[in-house]
Amino acid sequence: MTTERLYYNDCYLQEFAAQVVDRADDGRRVYLDRTAFYPTSGGQPFDLGTIGGIAVKEIVDEEDRIAHVLEAPLAKTEVEGRIDWSRRFDHMQQHTGQHLLSAVLVELYDITTVSFHMGAVTSTIDVATPSLDPKRLERVEERSAQIVWEARPVTISYEDSSADLGLRKASARTGTLRIVAIDSLDRSACGGTHVRSTSEIGPILLRKLEKIRGNTRVEFVCGMRAIKQARQDYRTLAEISRIVSVPFEDTPALVQAQVDKAKALEKNLARVAAELAQREGRELYAAAEPDAAGVRRATEHGPIDEVMRARAQAFASGSKAVFLAISENPPSVLLAASSDSGIHAGDRVKAAVTAAGGRGGGNQAIAQGSVPAEKLEAVIKDVLG
Ligand SMILES: [Zn+2]
């Protein structure tokens, strides 16, 4: 038995009486003789609400029938259905807004819509153009606003597919088509729910543009979503403006200047840190006592980074010098040796870490290796010889 879709003729029906004609999943999936619940279809998500006082979880379009998936089993046969109206009306605003936008894109620039997706926060249409100039986007937004405040009727009619219907997009369906029309602007074959006047769409805001497989994805919000989004954008900008202490219009230039400044400072800081590390290396060398063979040694603990490398190289630039850096986390060693020290840093580190199951190597002057934590002590002993 085909489910009668009450929303086809009355998108504003919020409550209805119906009979349960079939059920599955112990009464958690019910079929009614008639329903005002919209199932996920054509880019528009399903309705929520209650049936016989039980919350609806999902509405599924099974072609002839509509399945109502419920949170708990339903035993009754005569039921009352209630649509979550704020959710549905929001969907009607986004969906009708999409018809309007797609029609305006054709009217102004002959750009067709390929697909539509309604998300929980924003909606998108993919349009058949590799790019969309921001100026054109503004024109589309302004033209759409104009049609909204002209309060043009949005009407539903049923017409045969064999007639010349003048649709924006040809329909693949045959037989009787449900035509949704915006007065003097658009005619589309559509089974969705729509508001009755363009004025009920409310504000339409166009937002992000994205390139998607040769098309352009246009993000948009309508109605209360547009108001909430604009409010959120205002708050974000106000917060940035407060942090940087300049008026809104000056924030882009100031933020750019701050980012450039931070980058320059970072670069300078790295240079100063390297210079300081070299000085420390030379001072360590000067302070080290030569052993019986005249070799000066130093061992440092800490992260093995650019600063440590600079310190090690500066130390080993002195004659008869050996510098070892040890890092506990991650467990690793760095060895630097002067050319007259009699030590080949690369050979020594490679042998020690390989024996310990680690990895590493380098050249005569400097080498680095990492080892499993429990082998670090043994490697240090090996490297020091
Ligand atoms: Zn539609």
Side-chain angles (χ1 to χ4, degrees):
M1 179 182 174
T2 305
T3 312
E4 187 191 346
R5 300 177 188 230
L6 299 169
Y7 59 82
Y8 269 174
N9 293 318
D10 185 0
C11 297
Y12 287 80
L13 186 64
Q14 300 178 37
E15 290 180 26
F16 64 99
Q19 283 201 339
V20 176
V21 292
D22 197 5
R23 58 187 96 219
D25 291 346
D26 301 323
R28 287 171 194 272
R29 190 182 187 92
V30 301
Y31 297 87
L32 308 176
D33 59 343
R34 58 213 290 269
T35 188
F37 281 93
Y38 186 78
T40 301
S41 178
Q44 180 178 331
F46 58 86
D47 286 334
L48 288 176
T50 59
I51 294 173
I54 297 168
V56 167
K57 214 163 129 183
E58 195 189 349
I59 305 292
V60 184
D61 196 335
E62 297 179 354
E63 294 199 12
D64 282 347
R65 302 201 300 175
I66 289 177
H68 304 76
V69 184
L70 306 176
E71 295 285 357
L74 176 69
K76 285 188 276 189
T77 303
E78 305 284 327
V79 291
E80 273 273 308
R82 266 195 193 87
I83 309 284
D84 174 342
W85 183 244
S86 63
R87 174 179 164 96
R88 159 65 88 72
F89 187 67
D90 167 65
H91 290 174
M92 284 160 57
Q93 288 181 310
Q94 313 309 315
H95 190 144
T96 316
Q98 179 262 309
H99 280 240
L100 199 163
L101 262 181
S102 294
V104 167
L105 278 159
V106 170
E107 183 196 66
L108 294 182
Y109 303 114
D110 205 22
I111 293 171
T112 57
T113 296
V114 180
S115 63
F116 163 53
H117 173 74
M118 192 192 298
V121 180
T122 61
S123 301
T124 56
I125 46 173
D126 287 1
V127 298
T129 180
S131 66
L132 198 51
D133 182 75
K135 277 271 167 273
R136 287 188 159 197
L137 202 68
E138 284 172 19
R139 275 283 297 134
V140 170
E141 197 169 49
E142 286 168 12
R143 176 69 177 144
S144 299
Q146 196 177 16
I147 296 166
V148 165
W149 66 61
E150 283 171 7
R152 297 197 193 185
V154 180
T155 53
I156 296 161
S157 62
Y158 295 90
E159 298 174 38
D160 195 81
S161 61
S162 62
D164 180 9
L165 298 174
L167 300 178
R168 169 161 47 81
K169 195 175 177 181
S171 175
R173 288 171 190 259
T174 54
T176 305
L177 298 182
R178 182 173 183 258
I179 311 293
V180 176
I182 299 175
D183 190 36
S184 307
L185 179 75
D186 187 45
R187 282 169 58 82
S188 294
C190 183
T193 58
H194 309 83
V195 293
R196 58 198 152 199
S197 159
T198 55
S199 67
E200 291 190 24
I201 297 169
I204 302 176
L205 292 184
L206 303 186
R207 295 171 58 79
K208 198 170 59 179
L209 288 183
E210 230 179 316
K211 289 182 195 299
I212 300 279
R213 294 179 289 275
N215 293 325
T216 302
R217 180 162 292 174
V218 183
E219 185 187 72
F220 69 95
V221 279
C222 305
M224 195 59 90
R225 291 192 190 197
I227 291 170
K228 285 183 173 166
Q229 194 65 64
R231 187 191 294 147
Q232 184 57 50
D233 291 350
Y234 173 83
R235 282 187 183 147
T236 303
L237 191 50
E239 184 66 5
I240 293 169
S241 165
R242 188 189 64 76
I243 292 167
V244 298
S245 306
V246 295
F248 282 17
E249 57 275 23
D250 298 340
T251 54
L254 189 83
V255 168
Q256 183 63 62
Q258 295 286 353
V259 167
D260 292 347
K261 197 170 157 187
K263 278 184 188 156
L265 284 172
E266 235 166 62
K267 221 170 156 183
N268 257 335
L269 186 65
R271 190 178 50 76
V272 170
E275 277 173 17
L276 182 65
Q278 284 162 13
R279 180 174 301 182
E280 282 170 352
R282 288 194 298 270
E283 284 172 4
L284 271 172
Y285 178 82
E289 284 291 331
D291 64 12
V295 176
R296 298 179 199 228
R297 295 170 191 275
T299 301
E300 290 265 297
H301 291 263
I304 294 174
D305 52 13
E306 283 311 304
V307 170
M308 187 65 91
R309 284 181 79 87
R311 199 181 287 145
Q313 279 169 319
F315 187 95
S317 66
S319 69
K320 294 202 168 186
V322 178
F323 182 98
L324 176 68
I326 301 161
S327 159
E328 315 284 340
N329 189 21
S332 47
V333 293
L334 172 85
L335 186 67
S338 63
S339 53
D340 59 0
S341 64
I343 288 173
H344 189 289
D347 290 352
R348 195 168 274 207
V349 167
K350 196 175 170 75
V353 297
T354 307
R359 302 165 49 115
N363 53 33
Q364 181 279 316
I366 192 158
Q368 199 171 329
S370 53
V371 289
E374 69 276 10
K375 297 281 171 63
L376 188 59
E377 281 304 317
V379 167
I380 293 164
K381 253 192 193 143
D382 267 9
V383 167
L384 288 174

